[in-house]
Amino acid sequence: MIGLIAATAAGRRAAVQLADALGADACRVYDAPVGEALRTAFGECEQLVCFLATGATVRLLAPLLAAEGSDKHTDPGVVCVDEARRFAVALIGGHEGGANALAARVAAALDAQAVITTATDATGLAGLDTLGLSVTGDLAAVSRALLDGEPVRLVGAERHPLPAFPANVSADAPAGAPTIVVGDELPADDGEFATVQLQTPSLVVGVGASKGAPAEEIRTLIRETLAEAGLSERSIACLATVTAKADESGLLTVAQELGVPVEIFEADTLAAVDVPNPSTAPLQAVGTPSVAEAAALLAAGANELLVPKRKSTPEGRAAMATVAIARKPARGRLAIVGLGPGARDLVTDRARAELRRASVIVGLDQYVDQIRDLLRPGVRIEATGLGAEEERARSAVRLTQQGLAVALIGSGDAGVYAMASPALAEAGDDIDVVGVPGVTAALAAAALLGAPLGHDHVSISLSDLHTPWEVIERRVRAAAEADLVVTFYNPRSRARDWQLPKALAILAEHREAATTPVGIARSVSRPDQWHSVTTLAALDPTDVDMFTVVTVGNTASRQIAGRFVTPRGYRWQG
Ligand code: SAH
């Protein structure tokens, strides 16, 4: 819940507007004297927006922050908005309380400017606590060294696909420098120098349990086993077991407490896994000689166990639980990111986030230039010139296989006549892949032309460099016969000038040349954007080049008030 607190009439109006924008269900507006309102809201809400001066807010918050039970990790994030609603200031809880993100949302809703002062965001560095990994240790000291440009040692970078760090962070910084350790071990208690431990979610705990095994017994066994092996509970990715134990309540309770899922495997599947300690008891009970060890290995995709099977040791009765632990091998992360047609405000927020999530950017140099300022300092750039598509795709996959966080970028949507397919044709199941959709040229052009895609439509590339012309022609003919609206990509270049007239002639065999609208849209959303709506008969091919898409209407498409409209075909539209 987001608490909204206002003292003045203007503040209350802004609060109502904000509640409308964020969703009334997600917000609660507090009136009454502001001091009391803030105290109540502080206890009830995850986030607060105060339509108050920062000074007043700080004075009201101070006793709450000093009170017993107040904690940076659980206190609400607080945003202040000034009376003239020009600024949304993230006041406390920038990262963990979500105030930085909330300030951005509030700013968007009220047309104000977000003010973010947490250093790592302000300077574009990776905030160590924003990587989605659990963090322990001296975060403040290591972050400060990171920002001050002091040498910071990075240990275990190969164990998780991390975003880029600036040049002062490296594996060979001197021992004794502030250190970032990445892994699933318990943080070393090394009082000497500042250390931050980023816990990778890489441990799988295989669990075998007799019917009715108490949660407490399973919990204790897991805790002791991890501690003895020097492993951190925060690094548990999941528990794993056999289908017959999927509803075992003690096991489910422990998974819920740990906040991790339970992966379930069929007994047959587990029985096929080669394990160090098979036994007859589970074979008789559930049909596999190993549950804990086999499930841990399978769920982790590992060949060997970190900790072989251990039994619980309850006092005065037989053990009811077993565990074994395996480590997931590090997997690289390939983001395939569409950057949209060109304009900066058509790059989605998700695309931006993925660009900042990566440590390596792979793409055509002209696209890299388009987004260079969105990248983190220290990011590695693998830009190549036109052509070399296969090589680019292969290099993105190879880098990902090395365990890195790679972003493969492309204009429009990266899957439309672009890099996604050659890359995924190369990729195996040993990497993670995340796709980010982008606004493809056909859609960007359509928005400019009017509503040409209101009914069934198709895209056809006229480039016969990689596709034989016979294939292209067959598809154009099929589209013509099916009366589809057609958008031509790669329509015409200096060396390929006969294909477009040929394709248009085929369409004209099935639709009225004099009246069928044709939209030409060049460099959409870029500074030299140009578009025109003409007809099949009147189109001048020299208006068309490789930065253009050409959209041809179906037999129902019309020009209305200079706009290209394809009727949706509802009866009420006649
Ligand atoms: N992945 C891209 C398409 C790459 S193929 C996308 O989804 O948009 C390249 C062709 O796309 C160009 O020849 C042109 O036909 C079209 N194109 C790309 N960007 C364009 C833009 N901003 N305006 C008009 N056409 C564009």
Side-chain angles (χ1 to χ4, degrees):
M1 185 61 66
I2 304 175
L4 309 183
I5 293 147
T8 65
R12 275 189 289 273
R13 275 198 302 278
V16 169
Q17 186 181 333
L18 185 63
D20 273 350
L22 299 182
D25 292 348
C27 298
R28 187 177 301 155
V29 180
Y30 290 80
D31 27 40
V34 282
E36 197 184 313
L38 188 59
R39 272 188 296 280
T40 315
F42 195 84
E44 291 179 351
C45 298
E46 287 80 52
Q47 297 182 314
L48 305 180
V49 180
C50 299
F51 296 88
L52 283 177
T54 51
T57 310
V58 167
R59 281 179 197 288
L60 292 168
L61 283 174
L64 304 175
L65 297 174
E68 182 115 4
S70 163
D71 174 353
K72 178 179 152 113
H73 305 299
T74 52
D75 281 347
V78 179
V79 171
C80 278
V81 178
D82 62 306
E83 180 79 4
R85 47 157 103 177
R86 283 175 305 161
F87 302 107
V89 185
L91 195 64
I92 62 166
H95 288 153
E96 292 194 54
N100 290 349
L102 180 62
R105 288 173 71 199
V106 172
L110 300 179
D111 204 12
Q113 164 121 38
V115 180
I116 310 288
T117 58
T118 45
T120 43
D121 289 298
T123 58
L125 296 185
L128 292 174
D129 51 346
T130 62
L131 304 180
L133 300 178
S134 162
V135 183
T136 53
D138 197 346
L139 179 62
V142 177
S143 297
R144 202 173 318 119
L146 199 77
L147 283 173
D148 290 348
E150 286 171 24
V152 172
R153 208 153 68 98
L154 179 58
V155 179
E158 71 289 349
R159 296 174 76 177
H160 193 76
L162 295 170
F165 284 113
N168 57 315
V169 180
S170 79
D172 29 60
T179 300
I180 302 166
V181 180
V182 184
D184 48 28
E185 288 86 0
L186 283 168
D189 188 10
D190 201 330
E192 300 277 302
F193 48 88
T195 302
V196 154
Q197 176 100 7
L198 303 180
Q199 300 290 163
T200 55
S202 43
L203 299 178
V204 175
V205 181
V207 183
S210 313
K211 196 166 170 54
E216 182 54 35
E217 182 171 341
I218 299 171
R219 185 187 305 124
T220 307
L221 178 60
I222 293 177
R223 198 168 289 155
E224 287 176 1
T225 307
L226 287 169
E228 223 164 274
L231 298 168
S232 169
E233 209 169 278
R234 291 171 179 244
S235 280
I236 300 178
C238 66
L239 307 184
T241 192
V242 65
T243 318
K245 302 297 171 187
D247 298 323
E248 197 58 47
S249 90
L251 176 64
L252 296 180
T253 304
V254 173
Q256 199 179 15
E257 283 170 6
L258 290 167
V260 297
V262 182
E263 282 205 34
I264 308 292
F265 296 96
E266 299 289 339
D268 292 355
T269 318
L270 294 177
V273 180
D274 198 12
V275 296
N277 301 294
S279 77
T280 48
L283 186 58
Q284 282 160 7
V286 292
T288 165
S290 167
V291 173
E293 292 189 338
L297 286 171
L298 271 186
N303 298 323
E304 51 181 34
L305 293 162
L306 277 185
V307 183
K309 181 173 73 178
R310 280 179 45 138
K311 281 192 182 139
S312 53
T313 50
E315 247 169 73
R317 60 170 170 81
M320 295 180 82
T322 57
V323 300
I325 299 176
R327 174 181 286 152
K328 294 182 168 207
R331 285 164 72 85
R333 184 176 193 282
L334 177 65
I336 300 175
V337 183
L339 299 176
R344 181 48 67 85
D345 60 353
L346 292 178
V347 180
T348 64
D349 286 352
R350 193 178 296 187
R352 284 166 193 258
E354 284 299 340
L355 294 175
R356 299 177 61 70
R357 175 69 186 74
S359 67
V360 189
I361 306 286
V362 180
L364 202 57
D365 40 18
Q366 71 196 66
Y367 301 146
V368 174
D369 286 340
Q370 198 178 316
I371 43 87
R372 209 174 275 276
D373 60 303
L374 296 178
L375 304 177
R376 281 189 198 282
V379 72
R380 174 169 151 200
I381 294 175
E382 300 276 330
T384 47
L386 264 176
E389 288 204 346
E390 271 178 55
E391 186 193 314
R392 203 152 57 235
R394 207 169 298 138
S395 114
V397 171
R398 250 196 331 262
L399 288 161
T400 312
Q401 281 164 337
Q402 291 167 21
L404 297 169
V406 177
L408 176 61
I409 61 172
S411 84
D413 183 277
V416 176
Y417 306 122
M419 297 302 297
S421 19
L424 296 191
E426 293 282 329
D429 62 1
D430 54 342
I431 60 169
D432 292 328
V433 174
V434 177
V436 181
V439 179
T440 188
L443 299 185
L448 198 61
L449 296 167
L453 308 183
H455 214 294
D456 299 336
H457 54 275
V458 66
S459 291
I460 297 178
S461 168
L462 290 184
S463 169
D464 53 2
L465 292 179
H466 302 294
T467 308
W469 175 255
E470 299 73 59
V471 173
I472 299 173
E473 186 172 322
R474 192 169 74 228
R475 291 179 185 169
V476 176
R477 211 168 279 290
E481 284 166 10
D483 197 27
L484 294 166
V485 174
V486 183
T487 301
F488 292 114
Y489 282 68
N490 302 305
R492 182 172 178 272
S493 68
R494 220 168 295 158
R496 288 190 300 103
D497 58 0
W498 56 264
Q499 288 85 345
L500 178 65
K502 173 83 188 159
L504 295 176
I506 295 170
L507 292 179
E509 290 168 20
H510 295 266
R511 34 198 109 167
E512 199 61 58
T515 54
T516 301
V518 177
I520 306 174
R522 185 190 311 141
S523 296
V524 179
S525 88
R526 300 189 183 150
D528 53 338
Q529 166 178 306
W530 177 85
H531 76 282
S532 134
V533 180
T534 174
T535 61
L536 261 181
L539 177 130
D540 176 359
T542 62
D543 282 339
V544 178
D545 64 13
M546 279 301 277
F547 305 102
T548 310
V549 284
V550 176
T551 298
V552 182
N554 65 17
T555 50
S557 301
R558 295 281 171 271
Q559 267 195 61
I560 299 175
R563 302 187 189 99
F564 181 160
V565 181
T566 299
R568 180 68 186 80
Y570 289 124
R571 298 243 168 102
W572 47 260
Q573 283 191 323

